[in-house]
Amino acid sequence: MSAMFVLGREAVASARGQVVTSVLTVAMVAGMCVAVLMTTGRTAAAEDAALAEIDAAGTRSIVVRADADARLTANVIDRLQAVTEIDTAIGFGPIVDARNAQVPDGPKVPLRNGYGTLDGRSLVVPDLPDRALASTEAIQTLGFRDGLGALRTDTGHELVVSGKLEVPAYATFLEPLVVIPSSKPDAPSGTRPTDPLTVLIVLADSPRHVAPVSDTVKSLLEAADETKITMETSQELATIRTAIQGELGSYGRGTVLVILAVSAALVAVNLLTLVSIRRKDFGRRRALGATRSLIVALLLTQTALLAGIGALVGVAGALTALSVTGSPLPGPSFVIAVVIAAVLTALLGALLPAISAARKDPLHELRVP
Amino acid sequence: MTESTAPVLSAEDLTFAYADGDPIVAEWTTTFEAGTTTAITGPSGCGKSTLLYLLGLMLQPSAGHVMLRGTPVDALRDAERARLRAHTFGFVFQDAALDATRTVLDNVIETALYRRQSRHEAIQTAYELLERFGVEIREAHRPGQISGGQAQRIALCRAMLADPPVFLADEPTGNLDPATSETVIQALRDRAADGACVVVATHDPAVVEACDRRIRLGAAS
Ligand SMILES: Nc1ncnc2c1ncn2[C@@H]1O[C@H](COP(=O)(O)OP(=O)(O)OP(=O)(O)O)[C@@H](O)[C@H]1O
Ligand SMILES: [Mg+2]
């Protein structure tokens, strides 16, 4: 029979003989897990939400604006799509003003040729002449019912709005957005790859890649006239993102450290009380031949087992509470980290009492009435 | 002295005083042979228990030595002395010193853990000992539910579990009726007959009578 098993069994028996201390230890560790999960687990979820929002707002995007005669052409999109750090690239041609064909003096919307893929929707729709896609905002501006209707450009061309566009956060600056999908030979501005672009949006696959991707974009724009091009990266947003991550992260770390320190202290006080109340028992064990290391090992094993139970109870309770209140649940790795931290914290708290118990003089303690 | 001829247990100029008190034991020299029973007598407070603790390596002498088979053992490392207490000494405390939170059986086999002895084997021996000393209580009982005399016999079973070569008993018959005392006295004699060195601190004339040798300590000196 392994020494670990023997020690474990003795630890279980002695924990059962010390009901109050055992229950308190389980409760303290459970409380620590609940506290960590309910505060920091929430903070972690809140941080994730905040970061997702920032990301949606375009931390990953690079926006290039060009004058119509800057020689920025649609074929650059194909080359950008081939770069691995780039999620997607979308281009828009020069603006032609358009109005509801039924309301000649109604509000105008900017009509653009679109190239590439916008939020998963391909802007290449071959063989559908004189069709346009419009965003919800554009449809409202134009006053179309059911999202369908005819458009007339100021140059006299007529198109049918036949589909709706979802505009992702990184492209909302283009609203109200009405796009003529490409590959339509008789479209107002033409559809060849040499078509001019006035707006190019490049999405890096992660905020970290914004800087290298913008360098790549710059190098691909060499053919164009630099003086007629401006480039906006989301570097500022990326900086804010990092700041928020750090801010929330350090707030979370601070909270966790306080909770862990308080818990370690509670476990220590609890066990010191036990060691003081039961000093005769530790003295007896020593007198009968237990080594100091055995006493330490016994108390630490006992604490680890109780802390393990407490951590499971606490995690189960906290996750139940979080899901009942509809809060976002922290991920499994976070939960496992909390359990490990809880057990290690309890062991840290138990170390001093265990050493104190092991140092009880066998006889002195036995003779104390 | 060679290993074979050295007495199993001896004290050499053994001196001990509790913190800032007069010596309870002063330059005390004697030997205890294997296979003998020795009664230590004397008035209450004269230091019988203290002497047993010194011999049992639970107290550190102020001066002098405790020797096992001719080798001084009082100054060994703490872990070594703990090991000797677990393996070589059987000790019966004057007040039994049981763990009230554990079952009677757990109390009897407690030292198996310290010796890394098989629990199964220890339980077998424990049942035999409990039966022999007439402890007719369920082994699952806890010491809070038993009498003082039963507690003392349980402590005796605990001390005898490993057949220790040195058996130190402090008033082992203090709470017992004459018939049960007789069982205990017989057990001590049996231990000696098996080759153990038995030292008993006692006020009980029946125990003193049954021992091979008597050592009388003076009035609290
Ligand atoms: N921890 C201690 N600190 C100081 N003095 C002590 C301590 N323990 C015992 N004494 C004193 O040492 C003396 C010897 O005590 P001891 O218990 O050895 O006597 P004893 O002969 O066993 O007595 P009894 O027959 O009553 O059991 C007593 O005077 C006692 O008061
Ligand atoms: Mg005494």
Side-chain angles (χ1 to χ4, degrees):
Chain A
M1 219 177 318
S2 84
M4 280 298 280
F5 177 79
V6 172
L7 195 65
R9 184 170 52 200
E10 179 67 17
V12 169
S14 97
R16 290 176 52 175
Q18 301 154 4
V19 183
V20 175
T21 307
S22 299
V23 168
L24 279 176
T25 305
V26 168
M28 284 166 183
V29 175
M32 148 168 55
C33 291
V34 168
V36 170
L37 288 172
M38 297 299 275
T39 59
T40 315
R42 273 207 178 132
T43 308
E47 179 179 306
D48 287 349
L51 292 179
E53 205 162 300
I54 292 172
D55 287 348
T59 8
R60 298 186 291 136
S61 69
I62 296 155
V63 177
V64 178
R65 291 167 203 269
D67 292 351
D69 58 351
R71 296 193 305 278
L72 176 63
T73 49
N75 58 346
V76 75
I77 291 172
D78 299 323
R79 288 152 66 191
L80 288 170
Q81 300 279 31
V83 177
T84 42
E85 288 90 11
I86 292 177
D87 237 16
T88 192
I90 317 120
F92 298 95
I95 291 172
V96 177
D97 287 337
R99 296 166 215 263
N100 186 336
Q102 252 72 59
V103 192
D105 53 353
K108 24 175 218 183
V109 293
L111 178 66
R112 297 173 167 97
N113 277 353
Y115 309 89
T117 305
L118 184 67
D119 202 29
R121 178 171 191 154
S122 173
L123 296 181
V124 180
V125 184
D127 307 326
L128 265 179
D130 297 329
R131 294 296 168 98
L133 306 171
S135 71
T136 309
E137 190 179 327
I139 288 168
Q140 272 169 7
T141 309
L142 291 164
F144 288 163
R145 265 181 277 150
D146 310 326
L148 302 174
L151 278 179
R152 175 174 291 123
T153 67
D154 287 359
T155 54
H157 201 95
E158 275 210 22
L159 299 109
V160 174
V161 172
S162 62
K164 212 169 174 182
L165 274 181
E166 296 296 336
V167 182
Y170 56 79
T172 46
F173 69 94
L174 295 169
E175 290 273 39
L177 183 63
V178 188
V179 169
I180 305 167
S182 57
S183 296
K184 202 154 54 59
D186 49 351
S189 301
T191 59
R192 293 172 305 279
T194 51
D195 288 346
L197 295 183
T198 56
V199 174
L200 174 67
I201 301 175
V202 181
L203 219 56
D205 60 358
S206 100
R208 286 178 296 121
H209 290 149
V210 168
V213 164
S214 45
D215 289 343
T216 309
V217 173
K218 248 179 228 153
S219 70
L220 287 176
L221 298 184
E222 265 162 14
D225 183 345
E226 264 181 55
T227 59
K228 293 177 176 169
I229 286 184
T230 59
M231 191 158 137
E232 254 172 47
T233 68
S234 45
Q235 203 57 57
E236 294 80 6
L237 268 181
T239 310
I240 292 171
R241 184 187 199 280
T242 315
I244 285 183
Q245 196 164 21
E247 185 92 355
L248 285 178
S250 64
Y251 165 76
R253 268 195 299 281
T255 312
V256 169
L257 283 180
V258 169
I259 293 172
L260 294 188
V262 168
S263 306
L266 285 175
V267 169
V269 168
N270 185 33
L271 273 184
L272 277 174
T273 309
L274 171 86
V275 168
S276 155
I277 292 173
R278 315 268 328 255
R279 58 192 187 281
K280 278 182 103 162
D281 281 315
F282 294 107
R284 185 202 69 248
R285 283 186 185 277
R286 293 278 289 128
L288 292 178
T291 56
R292 285 183 175 144
S293 48
L294 181 83
I295 303 272
V296 171
L298 200 56
L299 271 171
L300 291 186
T301 307
Q302 197 175 321
T303 304
L305 292 172
L306 294 170
I309 295 171
L312 294 183
V313 169
V315 163
L319 292 185
T320 308
L322 285 175
S323 56
V324 163
T325 56
S327 308
L329 298 181
S333 55
F334 185 83
V335 171
I336 290 169
V338 168
V339 169
I340 292 172
V343 173
L344 290 181
T345 302
L347 283 177
L348 193 70
L351 200 57
L352 190 76
I355 291 170
S356 147
R359 299 200 74 86
K360 293 289 173 213
D361 174 29
L363 207 68
H364 180 72
E365 302 309 338
L366 270 179
R367 294 179 71 96
V368 171
Chain B
M1 253 182 220
T2 65
E3 285 257 328
S4 54
T5 57
V8 68
L9 181 68
S10 56
E12 196 181 89
D13 294 332
L14 197 59
T15 303
F16 178 83
Y18 286 105
D20 56 65
D22 293 333
I24 309 278
V25 179
E27 297 188 3
W28 197 73
T29 300
T30 195
T31 59
F32 301 94
E33 302 291 343
T36 64
T37 50
T38 305
I40 296 186
T41 63
S44 182
C46 69
K48 302 182 292 296
S49 297
T50 304
L51 185 59
L52 286 190
Y53 297 144
L54 284 165
L55 295 174
L57 306 183
M58 294 176 209
L59 280 180
Q60 293 282 83
S62 317
H65 292 292
V66 174
M67 327 249 265
L68 262 182
R69 299 185 188 90
T71 310
V73 289
D74 54 272
L76 289 174
R77 279 175 41 239
D78 181 84
E80 286 303 321
R81 280 184 287 125
R83 211 152 283 138
L84 285 174
R85 290 198 293 270
H87 289 266
T88 307
F89 292 94
F91 203 101
V92 181
F93 293 95
Q94 194 165 0
D95 67 348
L98 301 179
D99 185 341
T101 67
R102 304 291 290 273
T103 63
V104 166
L105 185 65
D106 277 355
N107 269 282
V108 176
I109 65 168
E110 174 176 349
T111 57
L113 176 70
Y114 313 145
R115 283 192 302 274
R116 296 165 185 264
Q117 182 193 357
S118 138
R119 181 183 156 93
H120 180 74
E121 196 184 288
I123 288 174
Q124 293 304 113
T125 315
Y127 279 129
E128 287 164 26
L129 288 168
L130 286 168
E131 191 187 329
R132 173 166 167 200
F133 290 108
V135 186
E136 285 161 4
I137 46 158
R138 292 204 317 277
E139 40 87 5
H141 270 190
R142 284 162 207 273
Q145 300 160 282
I146 60 178
S147 74
Q150 284 169 326
Q152 209 152 25
R153 280 176 284 163
I154 291 161
L156 199 71
C157 292
R158 181 177 64 192
M160 287 192 170
L161 189 72
D163 282 342
V166 179
F167 195 87
L168 306 172
D170 199 351
E171 303 283 4
T173 60
N175 285 309
L176 304 183
D177 61 78
T180 320
S181 284
E182 195 44 54
T183 323
V184 171
I185 291 166
Q186 195 51 52
L188 295 176
R189 294 182 61 86
D190 290 349
R191 291 284 328 116
D194 285 348
C197 164
V198 178
V199 182
V200 195
T202 188
H203 288 293
D204 186 345
V207 175
V208 177
E209 187 58 36
C211 284
D212 304 324
R213 180 179 162 210
R214 267 137 262 179
I215 296 177
R216 191 176 159 78
L217 299 184
S221 59

